[in-house]
Amino acid sequence: MGKGGRPDGGDGFKEASRDGCEQENMAAWLLGVNTLKIQPFKLPNLGPRDVLIRLKAVGICGSDVHHFKNMRCADFVVKEPMVIGHECAGIVEEVGSEVKHLVPGDRVALEPGINCKRCELCKQGRYNLCPEMKFFGSPPTHGCLTNQVVHPGYLCFKLPNNVSLEEGAMCEPLSVGVHACRRANVGPETNVLVMGAGPIGLVTLLAARAFEAPRIVVADVNDHRLSVAKALGAHEIVKVSTNIEEVAEEVVKIKEAMGTRVDVSIDCAGFNKTMATALSATGSGGRVCLVGMGQRELTLPLTSAAAREVDVIGIFRYKNTWPLCLELLRSSKVDVKPLITHRFGFSQKEVEKAFETSAGGGNAIKVMFNL
């Protein structure tokens, strides 16, 4: 985890392999723009409440790509070499003396954020907003694209027998969709518009279906991703453009596709155009939830939305979502497997290719490492 680590070969954490030789714990370090290198990563000592985990599945998130391409994501700036990655699952290798719910050999999904537990937000249960949060792969905290991590036991969730390690890693992006649906009060009486059919838009679609939204419309600029959304259960899809002058025309198309009132809009892109569309399409007294961070600042038509008492809410990551996500996967109410479009191993060449694939868009949705 982000408790420590440094890219020095001589002091790297060592583990005993099956043949008795010692192998260094290796990780993918972000060293500069478009520059990743697999180097040794020293782990901290195992504390009494910690778990040592061998990672088996690690996904690439859009924020990882932002860090890779720009050395920053929103206000999170990479200022020194950092191990990347935060979507992960693996196998327990060792547990601290006070960890009672896990044993070596258990397969687990990891919630990547470690909160302080002391601040007012943590005490109120909104620990995702903790100002002292240490989050995998969010500077300056090291991430999980590595052979092994040490992580607090309470943030390691045992996988049901019928849930794969890859699905366990997908709990992280699915958690974003679940948290958005919770914040927007999605339920059996809320018709939902999802703006954006990227990975987060698609998991939000899956979450809205699991929350029993009666009708879901997905809008995007990309035909392929819209076809994926349709295959995943969107009732209707709407092709839109990037031209903000076409908002009014496209809102008409969205309302026609919905066939009834839009109660909740969830913007998983986060651009002026997508938020303007969401605000205009949402019915009076409805809610718009901003999830995506496509732009650092937005200029929005809030006056008309305010006059219709459209509530605008935001989300930041998630809280208390892993148990529900695992139950949705166990019960097959959510199937994330179709989202995993590309798989790579953990070598220098494959790490570079994986990030190029994820950053390149195209038909890639979720790129996954199998370690």
CSV table of all heavy atoms in Angstrom, one decimal, residues 281-340:
chain,number,residue,atom,x,y,z
A,281,ALA,N,-32.2,18.2,-19.4
A,281,ALA,CA,-33.0,17.1,-19.6
A,281,ALA,C,-33.8,16.6,-18.4
A,281,ALA,O,-34.9,16.0,-18.4
A,281,ALA,CB,-32.2,15.9,-20.1
A,282,THR,N,-33.2,16.9,-17.2
A,282,THR,CA,-33.8,16.5,-15.9
A,282,THR,C,-35.1,17.2,-15.6
A,282,THR,O,-35.2,18.5,-15.7
A,282,THR,CB,-32.8,16.6,-14.8
A,282,THR,OG1,-31.6,15.9,-15.1
A,282,THR,CG2,-33.3,16.1,-13.5
A,283,GLY,N,-36.1,16.5,-15.2
A,283,GLY,CA,-37.4,17.1,-14.9
A,283,GLY,C,-37.3,17.9,-13.6
A,283,GLY,O,-36.4,17.8,-12.8
A,284,SER,N,-38.3,18.8,-13.5
A,284,SER,CA,-38.4,19.7,-12.3
A,284,SER,C,-38.5,18.8,-11.1
A,284,SER,O,-39.1,17.8,-11.0
A,284,SER,CB,-39.7,20.5,-12.4
A,284,SER,OG,-39.6,21.4,-13.6
A,285,GLY,N,-37.7,19.3,-10.1
A,285,GLY,CA,-37.6,18.6,-8.8
A,285,GLY,C,-36.7,17.4,-8.9
A,285,GLY,O,-36.6,16.6,-7.9
A,286,GLY,N,-36.0,17.2,-10.0
A,286,GLY,CA,-35.1,16.0,-10.1
A,286,GLY,C,-33.7,16.3,-9.6
A,286,GLY,O,-33.5,17.3,-9.0
A,287,ARG,N,-32.8,15.3,-9.9
A,287,ARG,CA,-31.5,15.4,-9.4
A,287,ARG,C,-30.5,15.2,-10.5
A,287,ARG,O,-30.7,14.3,-11.4
A,287,ARG,CB,-31.2,14.4,-8.3
A,287,ARG,CG,-32.0,14.7,-7.0
A,287,ARG,CD,-31.9,13.6,-6.0
A,287,ARG,NE,-32.4,12.4,-6.4
A,287,ARG,CZ,-33.7,12.1,-6.4
A,287,ARG,NH1,-34.6,13.0,-6.0
A,287,ARG,NH2,-34.1,10.9,-6.8
A,288,VAL,N,-29.4,15.9,-10.5
A,288,VAL,CA,-28.3,15.7,-11.4
A,288,VAL,C,-27.0,15.4,-10.5
A,288,VAL,O,-26.7,16.2,-9.7
A,288,VAL,CB,-28.0,16.9,-12.3
A,288,VAL,CG1,-26.7,16.7,-13.1
A,288,VAL,CG2,-29.2,17.2,-13.2
A,289,CYS,N,-26.4,14.3,-10.8
A,289,CYS,CA,-25.2,13.9,-10.1
A,289,CYS,C,-24.0,13.9,-11.0
A,289,CYS,O,-24.0,13.3,-12.0
A,289,CYS,CB,-25.4,12.4,-9.6
A,289,CYS,SG,-24.0,11.8,-8.6
A,290,LEU,N,-23.0,14.7,-10.6
A,290,LEU,CA,-21.8,14.9,-11.3
A,290,LEU,C,-20.8,13.9,-10.8
A,290,LEU,O,-20.3,14.0,-9.7
A,290,LEU,CB,-21.3,16.3,-11.2
A,290,LEU,CG,-19.9,16.6,-11.9
A,290,LEU,CD1,-20.0,16.3,-13.4
A,290,LEU,CD2,-19.5,18.1,-11.6
A,291,VAL,N,-20.4,13.0,-11.7
A,291,VAL,CA,-19.4,12.0,-11.4
A,291,VAL,C,-18.1,12.2,-12.1
A,291,VAL,O,-17.0,12.2,-11.6
A,291,VAL,CB,-19.9,10.6,-11.8
A,291,VAL,CG1,-18.9,9.5,-11.5
A,291,VAL,CG2,-21.2,10.3,-11.0
A,292,GLY,N,-18.1,12.5,-13.4
A,292,GLY,CA,-16.9,12.7,-14.3
A,292,GLY,C,-16.2,14.0,-14.0
A,292,GLY,O,-16.8,14.9,-13.5
A,293,MET,N,-14.9,14.0,-14.3
A,293,MET,CA,-14.1,15.2,-14.1
A,293,MET,C,-13.4,15.5,-15.4
A,293,MET,O,-12.2,15.7,-15.4
A,293,MET,CB,-13.1,15.0,-13.0
A,293,MET,CG,-13.8,14.8,-11.6
A,293,MET,SD,-12.6,14.8,-10.3
A,293,MET,CE,-11.6,13.4,-10.6
A,294,GLY,N,-14.2,15.6,-16.5
A,294,GLY,CA,-13.6,15.9,-17.8
A,294,GLY,C,-12.9,17.3,-17.9
A,294,GLY,O,-11.9,17.5,-18.6
A,295,GLN,N,-13.5,18.2,-17.1
A,295,GLN,CA,-12.9,19.6,-17.1
A,295,GLN,C,-12.7,20.0,-15.6
A,295,GLN,O,-13.5,19.6,-14.7
A,295,GLN,CB,-13.9,20.6,-17.7
A,295,GLN,CG,-14.0,20.4,-19.2
A,295,GLN,CD,-15.0,21.4,-19.8
A,295,GLN,OE1,-15.9,21.0,-20.6
A,295,GLN,NE2,-14.9,22.7,-19.5
A,296,ARG,N,-11.7,20.7,-15.3
A,296,ARG,CA,-11.4,21.2,-14.0
A,296,ARG,C,-12.4,22.2,-13.5
A,296,ARG,O,-12.8,22.3,-12.3
A,296,ARG,CB,-10.0,21.7,-13.8
A,296,ARG,CG,-8.9,20.7,-14.1
A,296,ARG,CD,-7.5,21.3,-13.8
A,296,ARG,NE,-7.4,21.6,-12.4
A,296,ARG,CZ,-6.4,22.4,-11.9
A,296,ARG,NH1,-5.5,22.9,-12.8
A,296,ARG,NH2,-6.3,22.6,-10.7
A,297,GLU,N,-12.9,23.0,-14.5
A,297,GLU,CA,-14.0,24.0,-14.2
A,297,GLU,C,-15.1,24.0,-15.2
A,297,GLU,O,-14.8,23.7,-16.4
A,297,GLU,CB,-13.4,25.5,-14.2
A,297,GLU,CG,-12.3,25.7,-13.1
A,297,GLU,CD,-11.8,27.1,-13.0
A,297,GLU,OE1,-12.2,27.9,-13.9
A,297,GLU,OE2,-11.0,27.4,-12.1
A,298,LEU,N,-16.3,24.2,-14.7
A,298,LEU,CA,-17.5,24.1,-15.6
A,298,LEU,C,-18.2,25.4,-15.6
A,298,LEU,O,-18.4,26.1,-14.6
A,298,LEU,CB,-18.4,23.0,-15.2
A,298,LEU,CG,-17.8,21.5,-15.2
A,298,LEU,CD1,-18.8,20.6,-14.6
A,298,LEU,CD2,-17.5,21.1,-16.6
A,299,THR,N,-18.8,25.8,-16.8
A,299,THR,CA,-19.7,26.9,-16.9
A,299,THR,C,-21.0,26.4,-17.3
A,299,THR,O,-21.2,25.8,-18.4
A,299,THR,CB,-19.2,27.9,-18.0
A,299,THR,OG1,-17.9,28.4,-17.6
A,299,THR,CG2,-20.1,29.1,-18.1
A,300,LEU,N,-22.0,26.5,-16.4
A,300,LEU,CA,-23.3,25.8,-16.5
A,300,LEU,C,-24.5,26.7,-16.5
A,300,LEU,O,-24.5,27.8,-15.8
A,300,LEU,CB,-23.4,24.8,-15.4
A,300,LEU,CG,-22.3,23.7,-15.3
A,300,LEU,CD1,-22.4,22.9,-14.0
A,300,LEU,CD2,-22.2,22.9,-16.5
A,301,PRO,N,-25.6,26.3,-17.1
A,301,PRO,CA,-26.9,27.0,-17.1
A,301,PRO,C,-27.7,26.7,-15.8
A,301,PRO,O,-28.7,26.1,-15.9
A,301,PRO,CB,-27.6,26.6,-18.4
A,301,PRO,CG,-27.1,25.1,-18.5
A,301,PRO,CD,-25.7,25.2,-18.1
A,302,LEU,N,-27.2,27.2,-14.7
A,302,LEU,CA,-27.8,26.8,-13.4
A,302,LEU,C,-29.0,27.6,-13.1
A,302,LEU,O,-29.9,27.1,-12.4
A,302,LEU,CB,-26.8,27.1,-12.3
A,302,LEU,CG,-25.6,26.1,-12.2
A,302,LEU,CD1,-24.7,26.5,-11.1
A,302,LEU,CD2,-26.2,24.7,-11.9
A,303,THR,N,-29.2,28.8,-13.7
A,303,THR,CA,-30.4,29.6,-13.3
A,303,THR,C,-31.7,28.9,-13.6
A,303,THR,O,-32.6,28.8,-12.8
A,303,THR,CB,-30.3,30.9,-14.0
A,303,THR,OG1,-29.1,31.6,-13.7
A,303,THR,CG2,-31.5,31.8,-13.6
A,304,SER,N,-31.8,28.4,-14.8
A,304,SER,CA,-33.0,27.7,-15.2
A,304,SER,C,-33.2,26.4,-14.4
A,304,SER,O,-34.3,26.0,-14.1
A,304,SER,CB,-33.0,27.4,-16.7
A,304,SER,OG,-31.9,26.5,-17.1
A,305,ALA,N,-32.1,25.7,-14.1
A,305,ALA,CA,-32.2,24.5,-13.3
A,305,ALA,C,-32.7,24.8,-11.9
A,305,ALA,O,-33.5,24.1,-11.3
A,305,ALA,CB,-30.9,23.8,-13.3
A,306,ALA,N,-32.1,25.9,-11.4
A,306,ALA,CA,-32.5,26.3,-10.0
A,306,ALA,C,-34.0,26.7,-9.9
A,306,ALA,O,-34.7,26.4,-9.0
A,306,ALA,CB,-31.6,27.5,-9.5
A,307,ALA,N,-34.5,27.3,-11.0
A,307,ALA,CA,-35.9,27.7,-11.0
A,307,ALA,C,-36.8,26.5,-11.1
A,307,ALA,O,-38.0,26.6,-10.7
A,307,ALA,CB,-36.1,28.6,-12.2
A,308,ARG,N,-36.3,25.4,-11.5
A,308,ARG,CA,-37.1,24.2,-11.5
A,308,ARG,C,-36.7,23.3,-10.4
A,308,ARG,O,-37.1,22.1,-10.3
A,308,ARG,CB,-36.8,23.4,-12.9
A,308,ARG,CG,-37.4,24.2,-14.1
A,308,ARG,CD,-37.2,23.4,-15.4
A,308,ARG,NE,-35.8,23.2,-15.7
A,308,ARG,CZ,-35.2,22.0,-15.7
A,308,ARG,NH1,-35.8,20.9,-15.4
A,308,ARG,NH2,-33.9,22.0,-16.1
A,309,GLU,N,-35.9,23.8,-9.4
A,309,GLU,CA,-35.5,23.0,-8.2
A,309,GLU,C,-34.9,21.7,-8.6
A,309,GLU,O,-35.1,20.7,-8.0
A,309,GLU,CB,-36.7,22.8,-7.3
A,309,GLU,CG,-37.2,24.1,-6.6
A,309,GLU,CD,-38.1,23.9,-5.5
A,309,GLU,OE1,-38.4,22.8,-5.1
A,309,GLU,OE2,-38.6,24.9,-4.9
A,310,VAL,N,-34.0,21.8,-9.6
A,310,VAL,CA,-33.2,20.6,-9.9
A,310,VAL,C,-32.0,20.6,-9.0
A,310,VAL,O,-31.2,21.6,-9.0
A,310,VAL,CB,-32.8,20.6,-11.4
A,310,VAL,CG1,-31.8,19.5,-11.7
A,310,VAL,CG2,-34.0,20.5,-12.3
A,311,ASP,N,-31.8,19.6,-8.2
A,311,ASP,CA,-30.7,19.5,-7.3
A,311,ASP,C,-29.4,19.0,-8.0
A,311,ASP,O,-29.5,18.0,-8.7
A,311,ASP,CB,-31.0,18.6,-6.1
A,311,ASP,CG,-32.1,19.1,-5.2
A,311,ASP,OD1,-32.4,20.3,-5.2
A,311,ASP,OD2,-32.8,18.2,-4.5
A,312,VAL,N,-28.3,19.7,-7.7
A,312,VAL,CA,-27.0,19.2,-8.3
A,312,VAL,C,-26.2,18.7,-7.1
A,312,VAL,O,-25.9,19.4,-6.2
A,312,VAL,CB,-26.3,20.4,-9.0
A,312,VAL,CG1,-25.0,19.9,-9.5
A,312,VAL,CG2,-27.2,21.0,-10.1
A,313,ILE,N,-25.8,17.4,-7.3
A,313,ILE,CA,-24.9,16.8,-6.2
A,313,ILE,C,-23.7,16.2,-6.9
A,313,ILE,O,-23.6,16.0,-8.1
A,313,ILE,CB,-25.7,15.7,-5.5
A,313,ILE,CG1,-26.2,14.6,-6.5
A,313,ILE,CG2,-26.8,16.2,-4.7
A,313,ILE,CD1,-26.9,13.5,-5.9
A,314,GLY,N,-22.6,16.1,-6.1
A,314,GLY,CA,-21.4,15.5,-6.6
A,314,GLY,C,-21.1,14.3,-5.8
A,314,GLY,O,-21.7,14.0,-4.8
A,315,ILE,N,-20.1,13.5,-6.3
A,315,ILE,CA,-19.6,12.4,-5.6
A,315,ILE,C,-18.1,12.4,-5.6
A,315,ILE,O,-17.5,13.0,-6.6
A,315,ILE,CB,-20.1,11.0,-6.1
A,315,ILE,CG1,-19.4,10.6,-7.4
A,315,ILE,CG2,-21.6,11.0,-6.2
A,315,ILE,CD1,-19.5,9.2,-7.7
A,316,PHE,N,-17.5,11.9,-4.6
A,316,PHE,CA,-16.0,11.7,-4.6
A,316,PHE,C,-15.7,10.3,-4.1
A,316,PHE,O,-16.0,9.9,-3.0
A,316,PHE,CB,-15.4,12.7,-3.6
A,316,PHE,CG,-13.9,12.6,-3.7
A,316,PHE,CD1,-13.2,13.0,-4.8
A,316,PHE,CD2,-13.1,12.2,-2.6
A,316,PHE,CE1,-11.8,12.9,-4.9
A,316,PHE,CE2,-11.8,12.2,-2.6
A,316,PHE,CZ,-11.1,12.5,-3.8
A,317,ARG,N,-15.3,9.5,-5.1
A,317,ARG,CA,-15.0,8.1,-4.8
A,317,ARG,C,-16.3,7.4,-4.3
A,317,ARG,O,-17.3,7.3,-5.0
A,317,ARG,CB,-13.8,7.9,-3.9
A,317,ARG,CG,-12.5,8.4,-4.6
A,317,ARG,CD,-11.3,8.5,-3.7
A,317,ARG,NE,-10.1,9.0,-4.3
A,317,ARG,CZ,-9.1,9.5,-3.7
A,317,ARG,NH1,-9.1,9.7,-2.4
A,317,ARG,NH2,-8.1,10.0,-4.4
A,318,TYR,N,-16.2,6.9,-3.0
A,318,TYR,CA,-17.3,6.0,-2.5
A,318,TYR,C,-17.1,5.7,-1.1
A,318,TYR,O,-16.0,6.0,-0.5
A,318,TYR,CB,-17.3,4.7,-3.3
A,318,TYR,CG,-15.9,4.3,-3.7
A,318,TYR,CD1,-14.9,3.9,-2.7
A,318,TYR,CD2,-15.4,4.3,-5.0
A,318,TYR,CE1,-13.6,3.6,-3.0
A,318,TYR,CE2,-14.1,4.0,-5.3
A,318,TYR,CZ,-13.2,3.7,-4.4
A,318,TYR,OH,-11.9,3.4,-4.7
A,319,LYS,N,-18.1,5.1,-0.4
A,319,LYS,CA,-18.0,4.7,1.0
A,319,LYS,C,-18.9,3.5,1.2
A,319,LYS,O,-20.0,3.5,0.7
A,319,LYS,CB,-18.3,5.9,1.9
A,319,LYS,CG,-19.7,6.4,1.8
A,319,LYS,CD,-19.9,7.6,2.8
A,319,LYS,CE,-21.3,8.2,2.7
A,319,LYS,NZ,-22.3,7.3,3.4
A,320,ASN,N,-18.4,2.6,1.9
A,320,ASN,CA,-19.1,1.4,2.4
A,320,ASN,C,-19.8,0.7,1.2
A,320,ASN,O,-21.0,0.3,1.3
A,320,ASN,CB,-20.2,1.8,3.4
A,320,ASN,CG,-19.6,2.4,4.6
A,320,ASN,OD1,-18.5,1.9,5.1
A,320,ASN,ND2,-20.1,3.5,5.1
A,321,THR,N,-19.1,0.5,0.1
A,321,THR,CA,-19.7,-0.1,-1.1
A,321,THR,C,-19.3,-1.5,-1.4
A,321,THR,O,-19.9,-2.3,-2.1
A,321,THR,CB,-19.3,0.7,-2.3
A,321,THR,OG1,-17.9,1.0,-2.4
A,321,THR,CG2,-20.1,2.1,-2.3
A,322,TRP,N,-18.1,-2.0,-0.8
A,322,TRP,CA,-17.6,-3.3,-1.2
A,322,TRP,C,-18.5,-4.4,-0.8
A,322,TRP,O,-18.7,-5.3,-1.7
A,322,TRP,CB,-16.2,-3.5,-0.6
A,322,TRP,CG,-15.1,-3.3,-1.6
A,322,TRP,CD1,-14.3,-4.2,-2.2
A,322,TRP,CD2,-14.7,-2.0,-2.2
A,322,TRP,NE1,-13.4,-3.7,-3.1
A,322,TRP,CE2,-13.6,-2.3,-3.1
A,322,TRP,CE3,-15.1,-0.7,-2.1
A,322,TRP,CZ2,-13.0,-1.3,-3.9
A,322,TRP,CZ3,-14.4,0.3,-2.8
A,322,TRP,CH2,-13.4,-0.1,-3.7
A,323,PRO,N,-19.1,-4.5,0.3
A,323,PRO,CA,-20.0,-5.6,0.6
A,323,PRO,C,-21.2,-5.7,-0.3
A,323,PRO,O,-21.5,-6.8,-0.8
A,323,PRO,CB,-20.5,-5.3,2.1
A,323,PRO,CG,-19.4,-4.5,2.7
A,323,PRO,CD,-18.9,-3.6,1.5
A,324,LEU,N,-21.8,-4.5,-0.7
A,324,LEU,CA,-22.9,-4.5,-1.7
A,324,LEU,C,-22.4,-4.9,-3.0
A,324,LEU,O,-23.1,-5.8,-3.7
A,324,LEU,CB,-23.6,-3.2,-1.7
A,324,LEU,CG,-24.7,-3.0,-2.8
A,324,LEU,CD1,-25.8,-4.1,-2.6
A,324,LEU,CD2,-25.3,-1.6,-2.8
A,325,CYS,N,-21.3,-4.4,-3.5
A,325,CYS,CA,-20.7,-4.8,-4.8
A,325,CYS,C,-20.5,-6.3,-4.9
A,325,CYS,O,-20.8,-6.9,-5.9
A,325,CYS,CB,-19.4,-4.0,-5.1
A,325,CYS,SG,-19.7,-2.3,-5.4
A,326,LEU,N,-19.9,-6.9,-3.9
A,326,LEU,CA,-19.7,-8.3,-3.9
A,326,LEU,C,-21.0,-9.1,-3.9
A,326,LEU,O,-21.1,-10.2,-4.5
A,326,LEU,CB,-18.8,-8.7,-2.7
A,326,LEU,CG,-17.3,-8.2,-2.8
A,326,LEU,CD1,-16.6,-8.5,-1.5
A,326,LEU,CD2,-16.6,-8.9,-3.9
A,327,GLU,N,-22.0,-8.6,-3.2
A,327,GLU,CA,-23.3,-9.3,-3.2
A,327,GLU,C,-23.9,-9.2,-4.6
A,327,GLU,O,-24.5,-10.2,-5.0
A,327,GLU,CB,-24.2,-8.7,-2.1
A,327,GLU,CG,-25.6,-9.3,-2.1
A,327,GLU,CD,-25.7,-10.8,-2.0
A,327,GLU,OE1,-24.7,-11.5,-1.5
A,327,GLU,OE2,-26.7,-11.4,-2.5
A,328,LEU,N,-23.8,-8.0,-5.2
A,328,LEU,CA,-24.4,-7.9,-6.5
A,328,LEU,C,-23.7,-8.8,-7.5
A,328,LEU,O,-24.3,-9.4,-8.4
A,328,LEU,CB,-24.2,-6.5,-7.0
A,328,LEU,CG,-25.1,-5.4,-6.3
A,328,LEU,CD1,-24.7,-4.0,-6.8
A,328,LEU,CD2,-26.5,-5.7,-6.4
A,329,LEU,N,-22.4,-9.0,-7.4
A,329,LEU,CA,-21.6,-9.9,-8.2
A,329,LEU,C,-22.0,-11.4,-7.9
A,329,LEU,O,-22.2,-12.2,-8.8
A,329,LEU,CB,-20.1,-9.7,-8.1
A,329,LEU,CG,-19.6,-8.3,-8.6
A,329,LEU,CD1,-18.2,-8.1,-8.2
A,329,LEU,CD2,-19.8,-8.2,-10.1
A,330,ARG,N,-22.0,-11.7,-6.6
A,330,ARG,CA,-22.3,-13.1,-6.2
A,330,ARG,C,-23.7,-13.5,-6.7
A,330,ARG,O,-23.9,-14.7,-7.2
A,330,ARG,CB,-22.3,-13.2,-4.7
A,330,ARG,CG,-22.5,-14.6,-4.1
A,330,ARG,CD,-23.0,-14.6,-2.7
A,330,ARG,NE,-24.3,-14.0,-2.6
A,330,ARG,CZ,-25.4,-14.7,-2.9
A,330,ARG,NH1,-25.4,-15.9,-3.4
A,330,ARG,NH2,-26.6,-14.1,-2.8
A,331,SER,N,-24.7,-12.6,-6.6
A,331,SER,CA,-26.1,-12.9,-7.0
A,331,SER,C,-26.3,-12.8,-8.5
A,331,SER,O,-27.5,-13.1,-8.9
A,331,SER,CB,-27.0,-12.0,-6.2
A,331,SER,OG,-26.8,-10.7,-6.5
A,332,SER,N,-25.3,-12.4,-9.2
A,332,SER,CA,-25.4,-12.2,-10.7
A,332,SER,C,-26.4,-11.0,-11.0
A,332,SER,O,-26.9,-11.0,-12.2
A,332,SER,CB,-25.9,-13.4,-11.4
A,332,SER,OG,-24.9,-14.5,-11.2
A,333,LYS,N,-26.7,-10.2,-10.1
A,333,LYS,CA,-27.5,-9.0,-10.4
A,333,LYS,C,-26.7,-8.0,-11.2
A,333,LYS,O,-27.3,-7.2,-11.9
A,333,LYS,CB,-28.0,-8.3,-9.1
A,333,LYS,CG,-29.1,-9.1,-8.4
A,333,LYS,CD,-29.6,-8.4,-7.2
A,333,LYS,CE,-30.7,-9.1,-6.5
A,333,LYS,NZ,-31.2,-8.4,-5.3
A,334,VAL,N,-25.4,-8.1,-11.1
A,334,VAL,CA,-24.5,-7.3,-11.9
A,334,VAL,C,-23.4,-8.2,-12.5
A,334,VAL,O,-22.9,-9.1,-11.8
A,334,VAL,CB,-23.8,-6.2,-11.1
A,334,VAL,CG1,-22.6,-5.6,-11.8
A,334,VAL,CG2,-24.7,-5.1,-10.7
A,335,ASP,N,-23.2,-8.1,-13.8
A,335,ASP,CA,-22.1,-8.8,-14.5
A,335,ASP,C,-21.1,-7.8,-15.1
A,335,ASP,O,-21.4,-7.1,-16.1
A,335,ASP,CB,-22.8,-9.7,-15.6
A,335,ASP,CG,-21.7,-10.6,-16.3
A,335,ASP,OD1,-20.6,-10.6,-15.9
A,335,ASP,OD2,-22.1,-11.2,-17.3
A,336,VAL,N,-20.0,-7.8,-14.5
A,336,VAL,CA,-18.9,-6.8,-15.0
A,336,VAL,C,-18.0,-7.5,-16.0
A,336,VAL,O,-17.2,-6.8,-16.6
A,336,VAL,CB,-18.1,-6.3,-13.8
A,336,VAL,CG1,-19.0,-5.4,-12.9
A,336,VAL,CG2,-17.5,-7.4,-13.0
A,337,LYS,N,-18.1,-8.8,-16.2
A,337,LYS,CA,-17.1,-9.5,-17.1
A,337,LYS,C,-17.1,-8.9,-18.5
A,337,LYS,O,-16.0,-8.8,-19.1
A,337,LYS,CB,-17.5,-11.0,-17.1
A,337,LYS,CG,-17.2,-11.7,-15.8
A,337,LYS,CD,-17.4,-13.2,-15.8
A,337,LYS,CE,-18.8,-13.6,-16.2
A,337,LYS,NZ,-19.7,-13.3,-15.1
A,338,PRO,N,-18.2,-8.5,-19.1
A,338,PRO,CA,-18.2,-8.0,-20.5
A,338,PRO,C,-17.4,-6.7,-20.6
A,338,PRO,O,-17.0,-6.3,-21.7
A,338,PRO,CB,-19.6,-7.8,-20.9
A,338,PRO,CG,-20.4,-8.7,-20.0
A,338,PRO,CD,-19.6,-8.7,-18.7
A,339,LEU,N,-17.2,-6.0,-19.5
A,339,LEU,CA,-16.4,-4.7,-19.5
A,339,LEU,C,-14.9,-4.9,-19.7
A,339,LEU,O,-14.2,-4.0,-20.1
A,339,LEU,CB,-16.7,-3.9,-18.3
A,339,LEU,CG,-18.1,-3.5,-18.0
A,339,LEU,CD1,-18.2,-2.7,-16.7
A,339,LEU,CD2,-18.7,-2.8,-19.2
A,340,ILE,N,-14.4,-6.1,-19.3
A,340,ILE,CA,-13.0,-6.4,-19.4
A,340,ILE,C,-12.6,-6.8,-20.8
A,340,ILE,O,-12.9,-7.9,-21.3
A,340,ILE,CB,-12.6,-7.5,-18.4
A,340,ILE,CG1,-13.0,-7.1,-17.0
A,340,ILE,CG2,-11.1,-7.7,-18.5
A,340,ILE,CD1,-12.8,-8.2,-16.0
